[in-house]
Short mmCIF file of all heavy atoms in Angstrom, two decimals:
data_model
loop_
_atom_site.label_atom_id
_atom_site.label_comp_id
_atom_site.label_asym_id
_atom_site.label_seq_id
_atom_site.Cartn_x
_atom_site.Cartn_y
_atom_site.Cartn_z
N MET A 25 1.40 5.62 10.57
CA MET A 25 1.24 6.85 9.81
C MET A 25 0.22 6.62 8.68
O MET A 25 0.29 5.61 7.99
CB MET A 25 2.60 7.23 9.22
CG MET A 25 2.56 8.34 8.21
SD MET A 25 4.16 8.56 7.43
CE MET A 25 4.21 7.18 6.30
N TYR A 26 -0.69 7.57 8.55
CA TYR A 26 -1.66 7.43 7.46
C TYR A 26 -1.01 7.74 6.11
O TYR A 26 -0.33 8.75 5.96
CB TYR A 26 -2.85 8.36 7.68
CG TYR A 26 -3.82 7.84 8.69
CD1 TYR A 26 -3.88 8.37 9.96
CD2 TYR A 26 -4.68 6.79 8.36
CE1 TYR A 26 -4.77 7.86 10.91
CE2 TYR A 26 -5.56 6.28 9.30
CZ TYR A 26 -5.59 6.82 10.56
OH TYR A 26 -6.47 6.31 11.49
N VAL A 27 -1.25 6.87 5.17
CA VAL A 27 -0.78 7.09 3.80
C VAL A 27 -1.95 7.59 2.96
O VAL A 27 -1.83 8.57 2.24
CB VAL A 27 -0.23 5.77 3.21
CG1 VAL A 27 0.09 5.93 1.74
CG2 VAL A 27 1.01 5.33 3.98
N CYS A 28 -3.07 6.92 3.10
CA CYS A 28 -4.27 7.30 2.35
C CYS A 28 -5.29 7.88 3.34
O CYS A 28 -5.90 7.16 4.12
CB CYS A 28 -4.86 6.07 1.66
SG CYS A 28 -6.34 6.42 0.71
N LEU A 29 -5.41 9.19 3.29
CA LEU A 29 -6.33 9.86 4.21
C LEU A 29 -7.79 9.62 3.81
O LEU A 29 -8.65 9.51 4.66
CB LEU A 29 -6.04 11.36 4.26
CG LEU A 29 -4.69 11.74 4.87
CD1 LEU A 29 -4.48 13.24 4.79
CD2 LEU A 29 -4.61 11.28 6.31
N CYS A 30 -8.05 9.55 2.54
CA CYS A 30 -9.43 9.36 2.08
C CYS A 30 -10.03 8.05 2.60
O CYS A 30 -11.19 7.99 2.95
CB CYS A 30 -9.49 9.37 0.55
SG CYS A 30 -9.01 10.92 -0.19
N GLU A 31 -9.20 7.01 2.63
CA GLU A 31 -9.69 5.70 3.04
C GLU A 31 -9.15 5.29 4.42
O GLU A 31 -9.36 4.15 4.85
CB GLU A 31 -9.31 4.63 2.00
CG GLU A 31 -9.88 4.88 0.61
CD GLU A 31 -11.39 4.68 0.54
OE1 GLU A 31 -11.96 4.06 1.45
OE2 GLU A 31 -12.00 5.14 -0.44
N ALA A 32 -8.42 6.20 5.06
CA ALA A 32 -7.85 5.94 6.40
C ALA A 32 -7.01 4.66 6.42
O ALA A 32 -7.23 3.76 7.23
CB ALA A 32 -8.94 5.90 7.45
N ILE A 33 -6.05 4.59 5.50
CA ILE A 33 -5.18 3.42 5.40
C ILE A 33 -3.76 3.82 5.79
O ILE A 33 -3.23 4.82 5.31
CB ILE A 33 -5.21 2.85 3.96
CG1 ILE A 33 -6.61 2.31 3.68
CG2 ILE A 33 -4.16 1.75 3.79
CD1 ILE A 33 -6.84 1.94 2.24
N THR A 34 -3.17 3.02 6.67
CA THR A 34 -1.83 3.32 7.17
C THR A 34 -0.75 2.55 6.41
O THR A 34 -1.05 1.56 5.73
CB THR A 34 -1.73 2.95 8.66
OG1 THR A 34 -1.87 1.53 8.79
CG2 THR A 34 -2.79 3.66 9.49
N ASP A 35 0.50 3.00 6.59
CA ASP A 35 1.61 2.27 5.98
C ASP A 35 1.71 0.87 6.55
O ASP A 35 2.05 -0.08 5.85
CB ASP A 35 2.93 3.03 6.17
CG ASP A 35 3.30 3.22 7.63
OD1 ASP A 35 2.40 3.39 8.47
OD2 ASP A 35 4.50 3.18 7.94
N LYS A 36 1.37 0.71 7.82
CA LYS A 36 1.43 -0.61 8.46
C LYS A 36 0.44 -1.57 7.79
O LYS A 36 0.76 -2.73 7.55
CB LYS A 36 1.13 -0.47 9.95
CG LYS A 36 1.48 -1.68 10.75
CD LYS A 36 1.38 -1.37 12.23
CE LYS A 36 1.74 -2.63 13.02
NZ LYS A 36 1.62 -2.41 14.46
N GLN A 37 -0.75 -1.08 7.50
CA GLN A 37 -1.74 -1.93 6.81
C GLN A 37 -1.23 -2.35 5.44
O GLN A 37 -1.38 -3.51 5.05
CB GLN A 37 -3.06 -1.16 6.64
CG GLN A 37 -3.89 -1.04 7.89
CD GLN A 37 -5.10 -0.18 7.63
OE1 GLN A 37 -5.00 1.04 7.57
NE2 GLN A 37 -6.25 -0.79 7.45
N ILE A 38 -0.63 -1.42 4.73
CA ILE A 38 -0.10 -1.73 3.40
C ILE A 38 0.99 -2.79 3.51
O ILE A 38 1.02 -3.77 2.76
CB ILE A 38 0.43 -0.45 2.71
CG1 ILE A 38 -0.75 0.48 2.41
CG2 ILE A 38 1.20 -0.79 1.43
CD1 ILE A 38 -0.35 1.88 1.99
N ARG A 39 1.91 -2.60 4.45
CA ARG A 39 3.01 -3.57 4.64
C ARG A 39 2.47 -4.94 5.05
O ARG A 39 2.94 -5.97 4.56
CB ARG A 39 3.99 -3.05 5.69
CG ARG A 39 4.79 -1.87 5.23
CD ARG A 39 5.77 -1.41 6.30
NE ARG A 39 6.19 -0.05 6.08
CZ ARG A 39 7.08 0.32 5.18
NH1 ARG A 39 7.67 -0.57 4.43
NH2 ARG A 39 7.40 1.60 5.03
N ASN A 40 1.50 -4.94 5.94
CA ASN A 40 0.93 -6.22 6.39
C ASN A 40 0.29 -6.98 5.24
O ASN A 40 0.48 -8.18 5.11
CB ASN A 40 -0.10 -5.99 7.50
CG ASN A 40 0.55 -5.66 8.82
OD1 ASN A 40 1.73 -5.90 9.02
ND2 ASN A 40 -0.22 -5.10 9.74
N VAL A 41 -0.47 -6.28 4.41
CA VAL A 41 -1.12 -6.92 3.26
C VAL A 41 -0.06 -7.42 2.27
O VAL A 41 -0.15 -8.54 1.76
CB VAL A 41 -2.11 -5.95 2.57
CG1 VAL A 41 -2.52 -6.47 1.21
CG2 VAL A 41 -3.33 -5.76 3.45
N ALA A 42 0.94 -6.59 2.02
CA ALA A 42 2.00 -6.98 1.08
C ALA A 42 2.69 -8.26 1.54
O ALA A 42 2.95 -9.16 0.73
CB ALA A 42 3.01 -5.84 0.95
N ARG A 43 2.95 -8.36 2.82
CA ARG A 43 3.65 -9.55 3.35
C ARG A 43 2.72 -10.75 3.40
O ARG A 43 3.10 -11.85 2.98
CB ARG A 43 4.16 -9.25 4.76
CG ARG A 43 5.32 -8.28 4.73
CD ARG A 43 5.77 -7.91 6.13
NE ARG A 43 6.55 -6.68 6.08
CZ ARG A 43 6.99 -6.04 7.13
NH1 ARG A 43 6.73 -6.49 8.33
NH2 ARG A 43 7.69 -4.95 7.01
N LYS A 44 1.53 -10.55 3.91
CA LYS A 44 0.62 -11.68 4.10
C LYS A 44 0.18 -12.30 2.76
O LYS A 44 0.08 -13.51 2.64
CB LYS A 44 -0.61 -11.20 4.89
CG LYS A 44 -1.58 -12.30 5.26
CD LYS A 44 -2.66 -11.78 6.18
CE LYS A 44 -3.64 -12.88 6.51
NZ LYS A 44 -4.76 -12.38 7.33
N TYR A 45 -0.11 -11.44 1.79
CA TYR A 45 -0.64 -11.94 0.52
C TYR A 45 0.39 -11.93 -0.60
O TYR A 45 0.05 -12.16 -1.75
CB TYR A 45 -1.87 -11.12 0.11
CG TYR A 45 -2.98 -11.20 1.12
CD1 TYR A 45 -3.19 -10.18 2.04
CD2 TYR A 45 -3.82 -12.31 1.16
CE1 TYR A 45 -4.21 -10.26 2.98
CE2 TYR A 45 -4.85 -12.40 2.10
CZ TYR A 45 -5.03 -11.37 3.00
OH TYR A 45 -6.04 -11.46 3.93
N HIS A 46 1.63 -11.62 -0.27
CA HIS A 46 2.72 -11.56 -1.26
C HIS A 46 2.36 -10.63 -2.43
O HIS A 46 2.55 -10.98 -3.60
CB HIS A 46 3.06 -12.97 -1.77
CG HIS A 46 3.37 -13.92 -0.65
ND1 HIS A 46 4.54 -13.84 0.07
CD2 HIS A 46 2.66 -14.92 -0.11
CE1 HIS A 46 4.53 -14.77 1.01
NE2 HIS A 46 3.41 -15.44 0.93
N VAL A 47 1.82 -9.48 -2.07
CA VAL A 47 1.42 -8.49 -3.07
C VAL A 47 2.65 -7.71 -3.52
O VAL A 47 3.44 -7.25 -2.69
CB VAL A 47 0.38 -7.53 -2.47
CG1 VAL A 47 0.18 -6.32 -3.35
CG2 VAL A 47 -0.93 -8.25 -2.25
N THR A 48 2.85 -7.60 -4.81
CA THR A 48 4.02 -6.89 -5.32
C THR A 48 3.65 -5.70 -6.20
O THR A 48 4.53 -4.98 -6.66
CB THR A 48 4.91 -7.84 -6.14
OG1 THR A 48 4.12 -8.39 -7.19
CG2 THR A 48 5.46 -8.96 -5.27
N SER A 49 2.38 -5.51 -6.47
CA SER A 49 1.99 -4.40 -7.34
C SER A 49 0.85 -3.61 -6.73
O SER A 49 0.11 -4.11 -5.86
CB SER A 49 1.52 -4.94 -8.70
OG SER A 49 0.32 -5.65 -8.53
N LEU A 50 0.72 -2.38 -7.20
CA LEU A 50 -0.38 -1.53 -6.73
C LEU A 50 -1.72 -2.16 -7.09
O LEU A 50 -2.66 -2.17 -6.29
CB LEU A 50 -0.25 -0.14 -7.35
CG LEU A 50 -1.28 0.87 -6.92
CD1 LEU A 50 -1.15 1.19 -5.43
CD2 LEU A 50 -1.15 2.15 -7.73
N LYS A 51 -1.79 -2.72 -8.28
CA LYS A 51 -3.03 -3.35 -8.73
C LYS A 51 -3.43 -4.49 -7.78
O LYS A 51 -4.59 -4.61 -7.39
CB LYS A 51 -2.83 -3.89 -10.15
CG LYS A 51 -4.09 -4.38 -10.79
CD LYS A 51 -3.81 -4.81 -12.20
CE LYS A 51 -5.06 -5.44 -12.80
NZ LYS A 51 -4.79 -6.02 -14.11
N GLY A 52 -2.45 -5.30 -7.42
CA GLY A 52 -2.72 -6.40 -6.50
C GLY A 52 -3.14 -5.92 -5.13
O GLY A 52 -4.06 -6.46 -4.52
N LEU A 53 -2.48 -4.87 -4.68
CA LEU A 53 -2.81 -4.31 -3.37
C LEU A 53 -4.24 -3.79 -3.34
O LEU A 53 -4.98 -4.00 -2.38
CB LEU A 53 -1.82 -3.17 -3.05
CG LEU A 53 -2.02 -2.48 -1.71
CD1 LEU A 53 -1.62 -3.40 -0.56
CD2 LEU A 53 -1.22 -1.19 -1.64
N ARG A 54 -4.63 -3.16 -4.43
CA ARG A 54 -5.96 -2.54 -4.48
C ARG A 54 -7.08 -3.56 -4.58
O ARG A 54 -8.25 -3.20 -4.41
CB ARG A 54 -6.01 -1.54 -5.64
CG ARG A 54 -5.17 -0.32 -5.32
CD ARG A 54 -5.02 0.59 -6.49
NE ARG A 54 -6.21 1.38 -6.67
CZ ARG A 54 -6.31 2.35 -7.56
NH1 ARG A 54 -5.28 2.65 -8.32
NH2 ARG A 54 -7.41 3.03 -7.66
N GLN A 55 -6.74 -4.80 -4.82
CA GLN A 55 -7.78 -5.84 -4.78
C GLN A 55 -8.13 -6.19 -3.34
O GLN A 55 -9.14 -6.81 -3.07
CB GLN A 55 -7.30 -7.08 -5.53
CG GLN A 55 -7.25 -6.84 -7.03
CD GLN A 55 -6.70 -8.01 -7.79
OE1 GLN A 55 -6.31 -9.02 -7.22
NE2 GLN A 55 -6.63 -7.88 -9.11
N ILE A 56 -7.24 -5.77 -2.43
CA ILE A 56 -7.45 -6.08 -1.01
C ILE A 56 -7.75 -4.82 -0.19
O ILE A 56 -8.62 -4.83 0.66
CB ILE A 56 -6.21 -6.80 -0.45
CG1 ILE A 56 -5.96 -8.09 -1.25
CG2 ILE A 56 -6.39 -7.12 1.04
CD1 ILE A 56 -4.61 -8.70 -1.04
N LEU A 57 -7.02 -3.75 -0.48
CA LEU A 57 -7.22 -2.48 0.23
C LEU A 57 -7.68 -1.41 -0.76
O LEU A 57 -7.14 -1.33 -1.86
CB LEU A 57 -5.88 -2.01 0.84
CG LEU A 57 -5.38 -2.61 2.14
CD1 LEU A 57 -4.03 -2.00 2.48
CD2 LEU A 57 -6.36 -2.38 3.27
N PRO A 58 -8.63 -0.55 -0.34
CA PRO A 58 -9.14 0.47 -1.27
C PRO A 58 -8.24 1.71 -1.35
O PRO A 58 -8.72 2.82 -1.48
CB PRO A 58 -10.50 0.79 -0.68
CG PRO A 58 -10.33 0.59 0.78
CD PRO A 58 -9.36 -0.57 0.93
N VAL A 59 -6.95 1.50 -1.30
CA VAL A 59 -6.01 2.63 -1.31
C VAL A 59 -6.03 3.34 -2.67
O VAL A 59 -6.06 2.70 -3.72
CB VAL A 59 -4.59 2.15 -0.92
CG1 VAL A 59 -4.04 1.17 -1.92
CG2 VAL A 59 -3.65 3.32 -0.72
N GLY A 60 -6.07 4.67 -2.64
CA GLY A 60 -5.99 5.45 -3.87
C GLY A 60 -7.24 5.50 -4.71
O GLY A 60 -7.20 5.91 -5.86
N ARG A 61 -8.35 5.13 -4.16
CA ARG A 61 -9.58 5.10 -4.98
C ARG A 61 -10.29 6.44 -5.05
O ARG A 61 -11.22 6.60 -5.83
CB ARG A 61 -10.54 4.04 -4.44
CG ARG A 61 -10.07 2.65 -4.78
CD ARG A 61 -11.16 1.66 -4.51
NE ARG A 61 -10.66 0.31 -4.70
CZ ARG A 61 -11.24 -0.76 -4.21
NH1 ARG A 61 -12.33 -0.65 -3.50
NH2 ARG A 61 -10.75 -1.96 -4.41
N GLU A 62 -9.87 7.36 -4.19
CA GLU A 62 -10.55 8.67 -4.20
C GLU A 62 -9.69 9.71 -4.92
O GLU A 62 -9.72 9.80 -6.12
CB GLU A 62 -10.87 9.09 -2.77
CG GLU A 62 -11.84 8.16 -2.06
CD GLU A 62 -13.23 8.16 -2.67
OE1 GLU A 62 -13.66 9.21 -3.17
OE2 GLU A 62 -13.89 7.12 -2.64
N CYS A 63 -8.92 10.47 -4.17
CA CYS A 63 -8.17 11.57 -4.80
C CYS A 63 -6.89 11.12 -5.50
O CYS A 63 -6.39 11.80 -6.39
CB CYS A 63 -7.82 12.63 -3.76
SG CYS A 63 -6.53 12.12 -2.61
N GLY A 64 -6.34 9.98 -5.08
CA GLY A 64 -5.14 9.45 -5.72
C GLY A 64 -3.82 10.03 -5.24
O GLY A 64 -2.76 9.66 -5.74
N LYS A 65 -3.87 10.93 -4.27
CA LYS A 65 -2.63 11.57 -3.79
C LYS A 65 -1.70 10.58 -3.09
O LYS A 65 -0.52 10.86 -2.92
CB LYS A 65 -2.97 12.71 -2.83
CG LYS A 65 -3.51 13.93 -3.52
CD LYS A 65 -3.81 15.03 -2.52
CE LYS A 65 -4.40 16.24 -3.22
NZ LYS A 65 -4.94 17.20 -2.26
N CYS A 66 -2.22 9.48 -2.66
CA CYS A 66 -1.44 8.51 -1.90
C CYS A 66 -0.75 7.47 -2.79
O CYS A 66 0.01 6.64 -2.30
CB CYS A 66 -2.36 7.78 -0.94
SG CYS A 66 -3.78 7.05 -1.79
N ILE A 67 -1.01 7.48 -4.07
CA ILE A 67 -0.52 6.43 -4.96
C ILE A 67 1.01 6.36 -4.96
O ILE A 67 1.59 5.28 -4.85
CB ILE A 67 -1.02 6.68 -6.41
CG1 ILE A 67 -2.53 6.67 -6.44
CG2 ILE A 67 -0.40 5.68 -7.37
CD1 ILE A 67 -3.18 5.38 -6.71
N ARG A 68 1.65 7.51 -5.07
CA ARG A 68 3.11 7.53 -5.14
C ARG A 68 3.73 6.93 -3.87
O ARG A 68 4.63 6.10 -3.95
CB ARG A 68 3.59 8.97 -5.36
CG ARG A 68 5.06 9.03 -5.66
CD ARG A 68 5.43 10.41 -6.13
NE ARG A 68 6.77 10.71 -5.66
CZ ARG A 68 7.28 11.92 -5.58
NH1 ARG A 68 6.56 12.95 -5.92
NH2 ARG A 68 8.49 12.11 -5.17
N GLN A 69 3.25 7.37 -2.74
CA GLN A 69 3.80 6.87 -1.48
C GLN A 69 3.50 5.37 -1.32
O GLN A 69 4.34 4.61 -0.82
CB GLN A 69 3.24 7.65 -0.30
CG GLN A 69 4.01 7.34 0.98
CD GLN A 69 3.55 8.17 2.15
OE1 GLN A 69 2.63 8.97 2.04
NE2 GLN A 69 4.19 7.98 3.28
N THR A 70 2.34 4.95 -1.76
CA THR A 70 2.00 3.52 -1.67
C THR A 70 2.96 2.70 -2.52
O THR A 70 3.44 1.65 -2.10
CB THR A 70 0.55 3.30 -2.15
OG1 THR A 70 -0.33 4.07 -1.33
CG2 THR A 70 0.16 1.84 -2.08
N ARG A 71 3.26 3.19 -3.72
CA ARG A 71 4.23 2.49 -4.58
C ARG A 71 5.60 2.40 -3.91
O ARG A 71 6.27 1.38 -3.99
CB ARG A 71 4.36 3.21 -5.92
CG ARG A 71 3.23 2.94 -6.87
CD ARG A 71 3.68 3.11 -8.31
NE ARG A 71 2.61 2.72 -9.21
CZ ARG A 71 1.82 3.58 -9.84
NH1 ARG A 71 2.01 4.87 -9.70
NH2 ARG A 71 0.86 3.15 -10.62
N GLU A 72 6.00 3.48 -3.27
CA GLU A 72 7.30 3.49 -2.58
C GLU A 72 7.32 2.47 -1.45
O GLU A 72 8.32 1.77 -1.26
CB GLU A 72 7.60 4.90 -2.04
CG GLU A 72 7.95 5.88 -3.13
CD GLU A 72 8.05 7.32 -2.66
OE1 GLU A 72 7.91 7.57 -1.44
OE2 GLU A 72 8.24 8.20 -3.51
N ILE A 73 6.25 2.36 -0.72
CA ILE A 73 6.17 1.37 0.37
C ILE A 73 6.25 -0.04 -0.21
O ILE A 73 6.97 -0.90 0.32
CB ILE A 73 4.88 1.57 1.19
CG1 ILE A 73 4.97 2.89 1.96
CG2 ILE A 73 4.65 0.41 2.15
CD1 ILE A 73 3.66 3.35 2.56
N LEU A 74 5.55 -0.28 -1.30
CA LEU A 74 5.61 -1.60 -1.92
C LEU A 74 7.03 -1.91 -2.41
O LEU A 74 7.50 -3.05 -2.26
CB LEU A 74 4.62 -1.68 -3.10
CG LEU A 74 3.15 -1.85 -2.74
CD1 LEU A 74 2.30 -1.82 -4.00
CD2 LEU A 74 2.92 -3.14 -1.96
N GLN A 75 7.70 -0.92 -2.97
CA GLN A 75 9.08 -1.12 -3.42
C GLN A 75 9.97 -1.48 -2.24
O GLN A 75 10.83 -2.37 -2.34
CB GLN A 75 9.62 0.15 -4.09
CG GLN A 75 9.02 0.43 -5.46
CD GLN A 75 9.36 -0.67 -6.45
OE1 GLN A 75 10.47 -1.16 -6.49
NE2 GLN A 75 8.37 -1.07 -7.22
N GLU A 76 9.78 -0.81 -1.12
CA GLU A 76 10.57 -1.12 0.09
C GLU A 76 10.33 -2.56 0.53
O GLU A 76 11.26 -3.27 0.88
CB GLU A 76 10.15 -0.19 1.24
CG GLU A 76 10.85 1.15 1.23
CD GLU A 76 10.34 2.01 2.38
OE1 GLU A 76 10.02 1.47 3.46
OE2 GLU A 76 10.25 3.22 2.17
N GLU A 77 9.08 -2.96 0.50
CA GLU A 77 8.75 -4.33 0.90
C GLU A 77 9.39 -5.34 -0.04
O GLU A 77 9.86 -6.39 0.40
CB GLU A 77 7.23 -4.53 0.94
CG GLU A 77 6.56 -3.81 2.09
CD GLU A 77 7.10 -4.27 3.44
OE1 GLU A 77 7.22 -5.48 3.66
OE2 GLU A 77 7.43 -3.40 4.27
N LEU A 78 9.42 -5.03 -1.32
CA LEU A 78 10.04 -5.94 -2.30
C LEU A 78 11.52 -6.12 -2.02
O LEU A 78 12.07 -7.20 -2.19
CB LEU A 78 9.85 -5.40 -3.72
CG LEU A 78 8.50 -5.65 -4.36
CD1 LEU A 78 8.43 -4.96 -5.71
CD2 LEU A 78 8.27 -7.13 -4.51
N ARG A 79 12.14 -5.05 -1.60
CA ARG A 79 13.59 -5.13 -1.30
C ARG A 79 13.87 -6.03 -0.11
O ARG A 79 14.97 -6.55 0.02
CB ARG A 79 14.15 -3.73 -1.04
CG ARG A 79 14.40 -2.95 -2.32
CD ARG A 79 15.30 -1.76 -2.06
NE ARG A 79 14.62 -0.69 -1.35
CZ ARG A 79 13.95 0.29 -1.93
NH1 ARG A 79 13.89 0.36 -3.23
NH2 ARG A 79 13.36 1.22 -1.21
N HIS A 80 12.87 -6.23 0.75
CA HIS A 80 13.07 -7.06 1.93
C HIS A 80 12.60 -8.49 1.74
O HIS A 80 12.60 -9.27 2.68
CB HIS A 80 12.36 -6.43 3.14
CG HIS A 80 12.97 -5.14 3.56
ND1 HIS A 80 12.35 -3.93 3.39
CD2 HIS A 80 14.19 -4.88 4.10
CE1 HIS A 80 13.16 -2.96 3.82
NE2 HIS A 80 14.26 -3.51 4.25
N LEU A 81 12.20 -8.84 0.54
CA LEU A 81 11.77 -10.22 0.28
C LEU A 81 12.95 -11.17 0.26
O LEU A 81 14.03 -10.83 -0.10
CB LEU A 81 11.01 -10.30 -1.04
CG LEU A 81 9.59 -9.77 -1.04
CD1 LEU A 81 8.97 -9.94 -2.42
CD2 LEU A 81 8.74 -10.47 -0.01
FE1 FES B 113 -5.68 8.02 -0.89
FE2 FES B 113 -7.05 10.24 -1.35
S1 FES B 113 -5.38 9.96 -0.04
S2 FES B 113 -7.29 8.33 -2.28
#
């Protein structure tokens, strides 16, 4: 499912990056994926996905 339409980034990509690089923050994620750099509508959902990943650590 696409989370960030502007950059064509899916929830799977976000989860993969979070797991592979042990990313726990939006700031850290954005150093790897350009999520939320345009309109910003995806920021909230991206944070929720990161929170879910943290719960599974
Ligand atoms: Fe992610 Fe627009 S939907 S920046």
Side-chain angles (χ1 to χ4, degrees):
M25 170 188 76
Y26 282 105
V27 172
C28 180
L29 293 177
C30 296
E31 299 290 343
I33 294 170
T34 65
D35 61 326
K36 194 170 180 182
Q37 284 175 283
I38 293 169
R39 290 181 200 282
N40 285 342
V41 166
R43 289 176 198 174
K44 185 173 178 184
Y45 300 100
H46 306 288
V47 167
T48 57
S49 67
L50 182 65
K51 188 177 174 187
L53 180 71
R54 289 171 78 173
Q55 289 176 358
I56 301 165
L57 280 178
V59 63
R61 285 192 186 161
E62 297 294 327
C63 72
K65 286 181 182 168
C66 55
I67 300 269
R68 189 169 146 198
Q69 192 176 2
T70 301
R71 282 206 175 102
E72 287 171 4
I73 292 167
L74 284 176
Q75 288 297 318
E76 276 178 34
E77 288 301 313
L78 280 175
R79 281 196 287 270
H80 293 110
L81 284 181

